[in-house]
Amino acid sequence: MMAKIQMQTPIVEMDGDEMTRILWKMIKDHLLLPFIDLNTEYYDLGLEHRNETDDQVTIDSALATKKYKVAVKCATITPNAARMEEYDLKEMWKSPNGTIRAILDGTVFRAPIVVKGIEPCVRNWKKPITIARHAYGDVYKGTEMKIPGKGKAELVYTAEDGSETRELIHEFDGPGIIQGMHNINKSIESFARSCFHYALDTKQDLWFATKDTISKKYDHTFKDIFQEIFDAEFKEQFEQAGITYFYTLIDDAVARVMKSEGGYIWACKNYDGDVMSDMISSAFGSLAMMTSVLVSPDGYYEYEAAHGTVQRHYYKHLKGEETSTNSVATIFAWSGALRKRGELDGNKELQEFADRLEKATIDTIEAGEMTKDLALITTLKDPVVLNSEDFIKAIAKRLA
């Protein structure tokens, strides 16, 4: 047996929920622990433990990421009313991703994992499209109210000196709903800088889109900040790199994306990015074939799978039934974190292992061995459908 690869600095490890939690352990057992002397600081972000700690564990894991600079996260449940009951929760805890993003103030970059035999639904897409999602504020930090009946709703800003500015939202003549959203210039600025840096790092054009024609103050501020930072700090670098930055309206961007051949970064506000990254990933083949990394301008990185906890498969698993759950995005979360850890520590062996792990994963699929979701959409002849664990073991064989 070869000596295991050593790690100087720990990675922050955030465990999660349901089927992805089961896959998490399989990935560690078969693909990581046999090859690496794995050094992690472990946080259990499973819903039961978040509930026990009043969600403090989520905050602690984000603060640990600031300390160690690299984290890897398993998919987690964001509870709704049904989950409140199912898990007997003290309260409806917020999205762990939202909490972590707010603390790290980063931008989420999501890109499809392109594999031969899994062809995009959009025929002209030849290269990956990376979605850069702003990871702060808007509807994810929104305050909402149900309006019971007649009355007046207003936005009120009270300045430090006590002076008030008011805007009428609506004169209600019956029941309705309102929502207050905010963002802060500092976060929008860091979003813009993360996008411009990432475009330069990856030598890709950058698109940004909002709805500034309708939202003349809120969205327009995003547009203005991007343009100011680009002109002042990045214009010349972009010209030297031979790449472009361009702004358009979100509806125009959607139309252009469908006709493009890909190969660029599409920066979106929080909600647009949430929605569009799912569209892009499913059109490229599968939500389970999408990398996701939160990049903070302060140099913190958090890698995760871009999908949920695969609840349906988990219930099958609990009944003792066989599942064929796609673990690729979760494997790539680990490989991304290990590579970044290796880069920051100057650990060549660790970086090379991350590359090998990704290649073994892609080679397994291209050899026709895959999970059921991919077998249903592949253009490869006679694929072999493997169950959750056997797929991971097939990758391990190639790794060894």
Side-chain angles (χ1 to χ4, degrees), residues 225-275:
I225 287 174
F226 261 75
Q227 197 61 52
E228 283 157 20
I229 289 177
F230 178 70
D231 291 341
E233 300 172 31
F234 292 95
K235 200 172 182 175
E236 283 171 19
Q237 294 182 66
F238 267 56
E239 279 165 13
Q240 282 161 5
I243 56 175
T244 56
Y245 165 63
F246 109 107
Y247 174 83
T248 186
L249 288 168
I250 186 75
D251 40 342
D252 178 54
V254 170
R256 282 174 184 244
V257 163
M258 297 314 282
K259 295 219 160 63
S260 76
E261 58 168 45
Y264 47 82
I265 300 162
W266 179 13
C268 294
K269 286 173 58 200
N270 210 342
Y271 181 81
D272 296 337
D274 193 359
V275 176

Side-chain angles (χ1 to χ4, degrees), residues 214-230:
I214 302 297
S215 171
K216 289 179 168 62
K217 289 178 184 163
Y218 198 102
D219 280 20
H220 214 297
T221 300
F222 276 82
K223 178 188 175 179
D224 292 343
I225 287 174
F226 261 75
Q227 197 61 52
E228 283 157 20
I229 289 177
F230 178 70

Side-chain angles (χ1 to χ4, degrees), residues 346-360:
N347 184 338
K348 207 74 185 147
E349 260 192 304
L350 198 56
Q351 293 175 60
E352 283 163 4
F353 173 79
D355 294 341
R356 288 211 319 274
L357 176 55
E358 289 181 4
K359 187 177 183 314

Side-chain angles (χ1 to χ4, degrees), residues 33-144:
L33 293 169
F35 307 97
I36 305 174
D37 202 352
L38 200 59
N39 182 1
T40 72
E41 189 163 302
Y42 179 86
Y43 293 87
D44 182 0
L45 265 51
L47 191 47
E48 288 104 332
H49 195 240
R50 276 182 277 149
N51 192 52
E52 275 164 34
T53 63
D54 295 335
D55 209 27
Q56 185 61 41
V57 65
T58 308
I59 295 162
D60 292 345
S61 72
L63 295 175
T65 306
K66 283 189 162 184
K67 180 179 172 185
Y68 293 113
K69 293 189 165 40
V70 182
V72 61
K73 182 182 171 295
C74 184
T76 45
I77 293 167
T78 299
N80 56 13
R83 299 296 204 163
M84 284 277 298
E85 211 172 305
E86 182 186 351
Y87 282 86
D88 190 23
L89 301 178
K90 298 178 202 169
E91 64 176 85
M92 211 181 288
W93 305 111
K94 287 201 165 122
S95 152
N97 290 342
T99 301
I100 293 163
R101 283 170 198 156
I103 292 170
L104 299 181
D105 182 30
T107 297
V108 178
F109 293 91
R110 288 186 170 173
I113 299 159
V114 178
V115 183
K116 281 191 207 74
I118 311 295
E119 306 305 327
C121 304
V122 182
R123 284 194 306 272
N124 38 285
W125 286 357
K126 305 281 184 276
K127 301 174 198 153
I129 296 166
T130 303
I131 294 271
R133 174 183 169 191
H134 186 211
Y136 177 80
D138 300 348
V139 67
Y140 301 85
K141 284 264 175 220
T143 304
E144 302 180 317

Side-chain angles (χ1 to χ4, degrees), residues 194-204 243 295 301 340:
S194 292
C195 292
F196 292 131
H197 280 304
Y198 199 77
L200 286 168
D201 281 351
T202 58
K203 296 277 187 287
Q204 294 184 91
I243 56 175
V295 180
Y301 298 83
K340 182 52 74 177

